[in-house]
Amino acid sequence: MKNEDIKIYWDPNKNIPLILDSYNKEYEEIAKDLRPVFLQEKWLLINLFPEKLEIDFLDKSVWATKQNRYIVDGKMISIIPTSKFKGMNQEELNEIREKILQFSITEENIEKEKENFSKFILANRNRFNYIVKSETRDEEGQYIGALPFIVENAEKFKDRMTLVSFSGGKDSTVVSHLVRLALNNPSILHIFGDTTLELPKSYEYVERFKEENPFTPFFEEKNEENNFFEMCEEIGPPSRVKTWCCSIFKTGPMGTTLANFDENILTFLGLRRGESVSRSKYKKVSQSPKILKQMVASPIIDWCDLDVWLYLLTENLDFNDSYRQGFARVGCWVCPNNGTWSELLSSIYNSIEYDKWYNFLIKFSKKIGKLDYEDYVKDGKWKARQGGDGLDKSTEIIVQSKECINEKNSKTFTLNKSVNEDFIQLFKPFGSMKIIEKNKISELILIDKKNNPLFKIMYKDGDNEVKVTIMRSDDKYIFNKIQKQFNKFNSCLYCQGCNSACPTGAIYVSNGKYIVDDTKCVNCLKCIDKFDSGCLIASALKIKKR
């Protein structure tokens, strides 16, 4: 059953939402999806809207839509927190922050919350059994029920090492529990990709998870070579158009770790089709497009948000307390894809880091010449920025080239620094190498798998001008690919973005050096073709032609 088949109604007698798979004239449909609103978020709303919400709001049955509209006892109320936040000055924000952090929960409040959720669990018991246990097959031929799906695929890929990709969010929490339950095995390896930008409660929850599950091996992976704020100083903050941070702080380190495992892998993910348009096209079981030795299985791919909460509440699982504060998702707190609501919550619950980030954005906006810098930041216009306008480093990525008039298939390129060992490493993906040195002039010859010379690069020690001659190649874009590597050489900040582009784990950064392991490299050139300028940094800094 797909998400579009699900309908969410309101049961006025039990005062809770119902998840049904067909039209039901007995109830009123209230939303496409919902999440529960916990006591901490209710307290925040009371303080944001004291003229509209009384203290008894804490005991009401409150649920939020994906658009962050609130349904209270079955009726949508007219409060829009994001609009209120945008109109607040710093003094008002500090005052709200102080009130929110003074909140203390009473036993009566907790009992009333439990009562509301118990009613929700009982009323949706059939839905729970269906998504967890059903042995009906879907259009892909996979079990709809998460438990039989996991058992079948674990058996099908029993020659692979099984692991769970654990983010600290609600979806991976559910998948972790389902996998260990289905396989009756607490010793399934979990891998947590620490972006270094997680919410404070996410780190607290990860520590609790490890303590509460001592028999579950838990591996943490993060980028030790780079600092997010230092990267922002160099190339500007990430934007919705150029989300360079994901490759550097998430997929790069994680991909390198997985690609370097000796065994083939079956990874269970908490991926869901309803999260985005791009994810709606994912299959329930597929070969990883990024890591050759990894198969990916997504047992909750067709669950809606409310299904996930139904499972968490039914099984009485511990989860990330950021959700209690009101966060709908718990990824990186600085993500340019976060909305105003997440920014409000970060400003309250992660205030030191948030203030540091806000001040950086103001400083950056002034640096690139924004006269309306406060509006530019407050209205989120920085999230739509493209390229490196106003940044000195954007001029350093440009590689000048000219045709060699007297030589066919030759070009001369001018780089922004002299050839070094990194330069040599960058050409390993094309094939094997042969270097001839004579009179301080070096000739780097690239040779394909059939032992045919592809092209040669001539350069002089200490010089930044190189000459490229194509010797034999059927690739009409060969000069373009070579120039992409020159772009990479000019722009490289050892960011590990290339790591995420290599499906065999051949590329890594160590002690400020860019390394390509030619025993692992299969010459697929994905590290060159993934980014439009050949390099993540060059792509992020590229200025649109006017």
Side-chain angles (χ1 to χ4, degrees), residues 169-187:
K170 67 184 191 306
D171 299 339
S172 64
T173 293
V174 167
V175 169
S176 166
H177 187 263
L178 283 165
V179 170
R180 288 178 289 135
L181 180 65
L183 303 182
N184 192 27
N185 182 3
S187 299

Side-chain angles (χ1 to χ4, degrees), residues 21 44 56 70 97 146 230 241 251 288 340 401 415-416 476:
D21 59 4
L44 168 61
D56 66 345
Y70 291 89
R97 184 187 289 165
E230 290 175 4
V241 183
T251 57
S288 168
T340 307
S401 68
L415 310 176
N416 66 11
K476 61 181 179 179

Side-chain angles (χ1 to χ4, degrees), residues 2 31 35 92 102 121 223 225 269 283 338 347 377 392 446 461 473 501 521:
K2 294 182 179 178
R35 62 175 176 84
E92 291 170 325
Q102 288 175 352
I121 292 166
N223 183 336
E225 300 278 338
L269 287 180
K283 291 187 176 180
N338 287 344
S347 72
V377 174
D392 293 338
L446 272 297
D461 290 351
S473 177
C521 180

Side-chain angles (χ1 to χ4, degrees), residues 10 39 176 178 194 217 257 270 367 411 459 478 523 532 543:
W10 191 264
L39 290 167
S176 166
L178 283 165
D194 178 5
T257 296
K367 180 180 177 181
K411 284 185 180 182
Y459 53 91
I478 188 70
N523 309 121
D532 58 4
I543 298 173

Side-chain angles (χ1 to χ4, degrees), residues 25-251:
K25 62 182 180 180
E26 184 180 346
Y27 303 109
E28 179 184 358
E29 187 176 356
I30 55 164
K32 296 296 181 185
D33 206 350
L34 288 175
R35 62 175 176 84
V37 176
F38 295 91
L39 290 167
Q40 289 90 330
E41 185 178 358
K42 290 178 182 179
W43 177 247
L44 168 61
L45 294 172
I46 288 171
N47 281 278
L48 280 175
F49 301 97
E51 72 284 359
K52 292 187 176 182
L53 302 176
E54 304 288 343
I55 195 69
D56 66 345
F57 183 70
L58 291 172
D59 294 332
K60 293 183 181 294
S61 181
V62 185
W63 306 76
T65 69
K66 283 199 168 184
Q67 295 73 37
N68 230 47
R69 300 301 302 275
Y70 291 89
I71 294 171
V72 181
D73 291 342
K75 302 296 180 185
M76 189 171 288
I77 59 173
S78 58
I79 60 171
I80 305 177
T82 51
S83 298
K84 188 74 177 273
F85 175 53
K86 285 181 178 179
M88 293 167 64
N89 59 37
Q90 193 60 45
E91 187 178 337
E92 291 170 325
L93 182 58
N94 289 338
E95 188 179 329
I96 285 288
R97 184 187 289 165
E98 190 176 333
K99 288 180 180 178
I100 299 309
L101 297 178
Q102 288 175 352
F103 178 54
S104 61
I105 304 171
T106 68
E107 284 297 324
E108 291 79 4
N109 294 146
I110 294 171
E111 286 306 311
K112 186 61 180 178
E113 184 176 78
K114 285 181 179 177
E115 181 186 328
N116 287 332
F117 290 150
S118 294
K119 291 177 183 177
F120 168 67
I121 292 166
L122 288 172
N124 289 282
R125 176 63 64 183
N126 289 340
R127 175 66 181 172
F128 175 88
N129 288 333
Y130 180 75
I131 59 175
V132 174
K133 302 174 184 178
S134 174
E135 295 187 0
T136 304
R137 300 275 181 176
D138 61 19
E139 293 174 358
E140 296 177 42
Q142 300 288 347
Y143 282 122
I144 288 174
L147 293 178
F149 168 82
I150 292 165
V151 170
E152 181 176 63
N153 282 282
E155 177 62 25
K156 181 178 179 181
F157 299 107
K158 62 185 177 182
D159 59 328
R160 292 172 175 262
M161 179 177 67
T162 301
L163 63 84
V164 170
S165 180
F166 190 84
S167 69
K170 67 184 191 306
D171 299 339
S172 64
T173 293
V174 167
V175 169
S176 166
H177 187 263
L178 283 165
V179 170
R180 288 178 289 135
L181 180 65
L183 303 182
N184 192 27
N185 182 3
S187 299
I188 303 295
L189 176 63
H190 283 45
I191 295 187
F192 169 58
D194 178 5
T195 63
T196 73
L197 300 165
E198 310 295 333
L199 291 164
K201 293 296 182 184
S202 295
Y203 289 116
E204 290 177 19
Y205 172 58
V206 166
E207 290 307 310
R208 284 204 312 273
F209 181 91
K210 290 191 290 186
E211 289 173 12
E212 293 166 6
N213 299 280
F215 299 109
T216 300
F218 200 94
F219 184 78
E220 298 181 50
E221 179 59 70
K222 67 179 176 180
N223 183 336
E224 302 277 8
E225 300 278 338
N226 303 104
N227 176 278
F228 174 75
F229 278 92
E230 290 175 4
M231 294 287 294
C232 288
E233 290 283 357
E234 289 267 10
I235 63 174
S239 68
R240 287 173 178 154
V241 183
K242 300 288 184 181
T243 50
W244 52 260
C245 44
C246 290
S247 293
I248 295 172
F249 292 98
K250 186 176 181 180
T251 57

Side-chain angles (χ1 to χ4, degrees), residues 285-301:
V285 179
S286 63
Q287 165 67 50
S288 168
K290 297 175 182 175
I291 303 164
L292 291 178
K293 59 177 65 174
Q294 179 182 221
M295 291 296 297
V296 175
S298 306
I300 64 170
I301 197 166

Side-chain angles (χ1 to χ4, degrees), residues 261-321:
F261 278 19
D262 292 332
E263 302 173 64
N264 288 330
I265 304 163
L266 172 64
T267 300
F268 286 101
L269 287 180
L271 183 146
R272 292 187 296 114
R273 288 181 176 129
E275 291 177 296
S276 67
V277 174
S278 61
R279 293 188 174 190
S280 67
K281 300 177 177 65
Y282 281 58
K283 291 187 176 180
K284 203 166 184 178
V285 179
S286 63
Q287 165 67 50
S288 168
K290 297 175 182 175
I291 303 164
L292 291 178
K293 59 177 65 174
Q294 179 182 221
M295 291 296 297
V296 175
S298 306
I300 64 170
I301 197 166
D302 285 318
W303 290 23
C304 63
D305 273 357
L306 199 54
D307 287 330
V308 175
W309 284 110
L310 176 61
Y311 189 88
L312 286 166
L313 295 170
T314 301
E315 294 291 344
N316 194 29
L317 299 182
D318 184 19
F319 56 84
N320 192 321
D321 286 328

